Amino acid sequence: MLTNTNHKSQITNHESRIPNPTVYLQLQFKLLNRRFKDLGFEPWFAYVLLLVTLAVAVHQSFERFSFAPYVFVSLVMMLQLNLGESKRTDFLKTCFTTIKFRQIRLIENFLLALPCLIEFIIYQQWIALALTFTSTIALALVNIKIASQKTIPTPYSKQPFEFAVGFRSTIVVFIAIYCLMGIALFVNNFNLGMFSIGAVFVICMGFYTQPENEFYVWIHHHSAHDFLRQKVIIAVLQVSVLSLPLAILLACCYPSLIEYIGLLLFTAYAFMIAIVLAKYAAYPNEIQLVQVFFLGLSLLLPFLLLLFIPFFYNQAKQRLTPYLK
Amino acid sequence: MIQIEKLSKSYGTNDVLKQVSLRFEEGKVYGIVGENGAGKTTFFRCIAELENYQGTITSSKQQLKDHLGLLLTEPFFFSKITGREYIQLLCNARSVSETNIDERNIFDLPLDQYASTYSTGMKKKLAITGLLLQGNSYFILDEPFNGVDIQSNMIITEIILKLKSLNKIVLISSHIFSTLKDTCDEIHLLKNGQFETAVQKGQFHELEAAMKDVSIGNKIDQLGLH
């Protein structure tokens, strides 16, 4: 009896030493705020900006495209998949009891989905709401090890690393985009086709948002100018592998609208170049507020890229010179 | 040759390297030893030009860094890059073409698997393979033997001796003294920001004994083990 009591009190002591989920979530909140600060944003401003951007994006896209809610469902699921990554969940399991671990995963997924869930309710998108709600629960209960051991083939192995790594991380999205193009052609929706091409570029630009370890810049024997030139050429060629088949397909189906496709490609390539240079303009830090601001401004007035691309280039050259003498 | 003159490096008020002068000759292997935090890695990073420093570092080949193979203590790998792609990346960076990666995969690494799934030892072996395929003239190997199995340690020792015979300059840092005894021509002891002692091959045992004396002393007795 005495032994049992001791055993129970030992368990209670052990349980009390296990951190509270609230403490963990507060810590995550702090970390997120730090990331915003590193990017040059006050956290409250970043939250407001993100919510306003989401509201505007939802309003614009839901009215124009019937498929738009499902794009948002996919985005939420992608982010939730990231949170359920096996190494991360393994770490959480070692820190918390099973119940607390499940609580944390559910809360995280729910908080992540909350803005979109509200939007779906406002716009009465019940199927999207149900899908998001289901993924919120389902993805909190499973430990995701999506092909983490299995090598996904990529056409980019000869010129690593951005596209080789990025392509593998987002292959599901590319499959979805290609399906979207198929739907666009099937339902005779030119705009949806244009959206698919744009989406390819946006996803590929995402490959250039994080600075690489300094070793991967240092190893190059090129000058800063040659390094940047090579990076830009590789980015343009490699994004073409994914985008041009879609553009050609769309142009074949809509030959009378080829100038619009050309204009989209021209603008998208300019943004691609800008983002590559913007990444190194902030190196070794993440892209800073100034670059984000200029890129955002260029979204409204794309011709400004003619000014910003040389500006980013000069900044990038300066930033890389210490590594590439 | 790599000539280092009056090399100083400080972080804020912490002087890590103080007026260090050394000369490394072709065809020789140099061991750099010192306690944790003595400044070995900073010294290597200065040679690699990854740090700003005071003093001068010159080499017989123009642009030292472009001929330098740098093995970091903990090599970094992207999450979804294969071993083969890692080597390809290193070769591309130095414009090395015509590389038969499979033939030169002497550690029998699973090159088509993601490097991030490799064990610590396999990662180190991959990083070493990459450096060797770049065709460098100078090598800095920071803890090359750490986490590597005995068989591969033997191979790494032989690789270092081969590099020496090919007239390369190799600088090694290791916390395992025996590995330095097997490979080095000279061992330099870094202490308090300066190279305090330089020992030639025949006298390594004296250095080892002196280091044991200073490091261990009567600390084991202090533990009060019984």
Side-chain angles (χ1 to χ4, degrees):
Chain A
M1 197 65 184
L2 185 66
T3 316
N4 274 346
T5 316
N6 278 344
H7 182 63
K8 269 184 187 172
S9 74
Q10 274 174 7
I11 290 173
T12 315
N13 282 340
H14 175 70
E15 288 267 329
S16 66
R17 282 202 302 273
I18 294 173
N20 192 317
T22 316
V23 175
Y24 170 78
L25 291 167
Q26 281 172 343
L27 183 64
Q28 291 300 311
F29 181 61
K30 271 186 192 172
L31 291 175
L32 185 62
N33 287 349
R34 274 183 207 153
R35 283 186 70 86
F36 286 133
K37 280 183 181 169
D38 288 346
L39 286 169
F41 292 102
E42 276 301 316
W44 69 266
F45 179 72
Y47 292 117
V48 171
L49 190 67
L50 281 173
L51 289 174
V52 170
T53 308
L54 177 74
V56 172
V58 164
H59 181 71
Q60 294 290 324
S61 60
F62 280 22
E63 294 209 339
R64 289 182 193 181
F65 311 109
S66 56
F67 61 87
Y70 306 105
V71 173
F72 285 88
V73 173
S74 311
L75 283 172
V76 171
M77 281 175 72
M78 265 179 59
L79 294 170
Q80 288 175 337
L81 278 167
N82 270 339
L83 282 181
E85 190 267 328
S86 65
K87 275 187 185 170
R88 186 171 182 277
T89 49
D90 286 347
F91 170 73
L92 287 175
K93 278 178 185 172
T94 60
C95 296
F96 297 99
T97 60
T98 310
I99 295 170
K100 284 180 179 175
F101 163 72
R102 294 285 176 226
Q103 284 174 351
I104 286 174
R105 291 290 299 112
L106 272 170
I107 295 168
E108 280 182 335
N109 278 3
F110 183 72
L111 288 174
L112 191 67
L114 187 60
C116 281
L117 288 171
I118 294 170
E119 294 288 352
F120 293 149
I121 292 169
I122 293 169
Y123 287 87
Q124 299 180 353
Q125 294 292 335
W126 307 119
I127 297 173
L129 182 75
L131 284 172
T132 309
F133 199 73
T134 310
S135 80
T136 298
I137 296 168
L139 295 177
L141 299 177
V142 293
N143 192 6
I144 299 138
K145 286 184 179 171
I146 310 166
S148 60
Q149 305 291 324
K150 198 170 164 24
T151 305
I152 299 168
T154 155
Y156 303 116
S157 286
K158 288 287 172 194
Q159 290 290 344
F161 65 95
E162 292 91 345
F163 273 76
V165 174
F167 177 78
R168 286 180 175 131
S169 306
T170 53
I171 187 162
V172 181
V173 184
F174 284 116
I175 293 168
I177 290 172
Y178 270 64
C179 289
L180 214 56
M181 177 58 95
I183 294 167
L185 299 179
F186 185 70
V187 300
N188 198 19
N189 187 332
F190 177 75
N191 286 339
L192 184 56
M194 292 285 272
F195 172 81
S196 304
I197 298 168
V200 167
F201 276 92
V202 170
I203 300 295
C204 293
M205 284 175 206
F207 304 163
Y208 289 86
T209 50
Q210 290 293 316
E212 64 264 45
N213 181 290
E214 62 183 0
F215 177 75
Y216 290 96
V217 173
W218 174 87
I219 49 169
H220 288 267
H221 71 151
H222 310 101
S223 64
H225 167 78
D226 289 342
F227 175 86
L228 288 169
R229 191 175 56 125
Q230 199 183 41
K231 285 283 179 190
V232 166
I233 290 171
I234 288 172
V236 167
L237 290 176
Q238 296 194 335
V239 75
S240 302
V241 173
L242 286 164
S243 63
L244 282 188
L246 294 181
I248 291 166
L249 199 61
L250 196 64
C252 289
C253 294
Y254 297 93
S256 59
L257 298 172
I258 199 164
E259 64 269 25
Y260 291 104
I261 301 169
L263 191 64
L264 172 68
L265 284 177
F266 181 78
T267 315
Y269 277 119
F271 269 103
M272 192 77 211
I273 294 167
I275 201 107
V276 173
L277 296 173
K279 172 189 169 181
Y280 291 107
Y283 195 83
N285 302 315
E286 288 182 19
I287 290 179
Q288 303 285 297
L289 183 59
V290 61
Q291 286 97 24
V292 173
F293 177 74
F294 287 154
L295 287 169
L297 203 60
S298 305
L299 274 175
L300 298 172
L301 304 163
F303 65 87
L304 285 177
L305 284 175
L306 294 171
L307 292 175
F308 294 146
I309 286 176
F311 174 70
F312 289 150
Y313 167 78
N314 283 325
Q315 274 195 324
K317 204 173 155 189
Q318 278 179 15
R319 290 286 197 155
L320 290 171
T321 301
Y323 302 92
L324 301 167
K325 285 164 189 163
Chain B
M1 164 277 297
I2 298 174
Q3 179 81 48
I4 296 161
E5 286 176 52
K6 296 182 178 175
L7 172 65
S8 295
K9 173 70 192 173
S10 53
Y11 296 106
T13 54
N14 181 20
D15 295 327
V16 182
L17 298 171
K18 300 171 194 167
Q19 300 270 317
V20 170
S21 293
L22 265 180
R23 184 183 169 93
F24 300 118
E25 298 290 348
E26 270 90 3
K28 282 197 167 185
V29 181
Y30 297 87
I32 307 293
V33 295
E35 292 178 357
N36 292 333
K40 300 185 292 290
T41 300
T42 303
F43 177 63
F44 290 153
R45 285 177 62 86
C46 287
I47 296 176
E49 296 173 19
L50 278 164
E51 297 282 350
N52 292 320
Y53 54 82
Q54 288 176 311
T56 56
I57 300 176
T58 51
S59 62
S60 42
K61 286 195 183 284
Q62 287 290 311
Q63 291 293 4
L64 192 159
K65 76 170 267 297
D66 295 342
H67 302 277
L68 177 65
L70 176 65
L71 176 73
L72 300 165
T73 319
E74 288 179 24
F76 173 84
F77 296 97
F78 296 104
S79 61
K80 285 190 170 60
I81 197 166
T82 64
R84 187 184 304 282
E85 287 163 356
Y86 173 81
I87 293 173
Q88 187 72 54
L89 174 60
L90 261 64
C91 291
N92 290 355
R94 295 281 169 88
S95 303
V96 174
S97 51
E98 305 287 323
T99 311
N100 189 339
I101 295 174
D102 289 304
E103 198 174 276
R104 300 174 78 178
N105 178 21
I106 59 164
F107 293 110
D108 293 324
L109 295 165
L111 291 177
D112 293 317
Q113 278 182 26
Y114 294 140
S116 55
T117 64
Y118 286 15
S119 68
T120 309
M122 285 161 79
K123 282 179 181 169
K124 195 144 272 185
K125 288 187 265 186
L126 176 63
I128 291 172
T129 308
L131 301 185
L132 294 171
L133 265 63
Q134 282 185 318
N136 292 298
S137 300
Y138 312 125
F139 291 87
I140 289 177
L141 309 177
D142 200 351
E143 298 290 350
F145 302 101
N146 260 21
V148 179
D149 55 61
I150 297 171
Q151 293 86 342
S152 301
N153 261 338
M154 290 177 192
I155 297 176
I156 294 171
T157 301
E158 290 306 313
I159 288 171
I160 293 168
L161 295 175
K162 179 69 181 176
L163 292 173
K164 172 183 155 75
S165 72
L166 291 170
N167 226 22
K168 315 280 186 186
I169 296 177
V170 186
L171 309 185
I172 310 173
S173 155
S174 176
H175 289 107
I176 309 164
F177 202 85
S178 61
T179 56
L180 296 177
K181 275 199 290 196
D182 294 340
T183 52
C184 294
D185 296 292
E186 278 179 32
I187 297 179
H188 295 264
L189 174 63
L190 186 59
K191 197 172 180 184
N192 299 325
Q194 290 179 315
F195 282 104
E196 202 174 61
T197 321
V199 182
Q200 302 296 315
K201 200 163 187 74
Q203 292 134 2
F204 288 167
H205 61 281
E206 289 170 25
L207 176 66
E208 191 177 13
M211 283 171 71
K212 260 187 189 172
D213 197 36
V214 171
S215 310
I216 303 173
N218 67 342
K219 285 174 187 164
I220 306 299
D221 296 334
Q222 277 180 297
L223 276 173
L225 298 174
H226 50 261

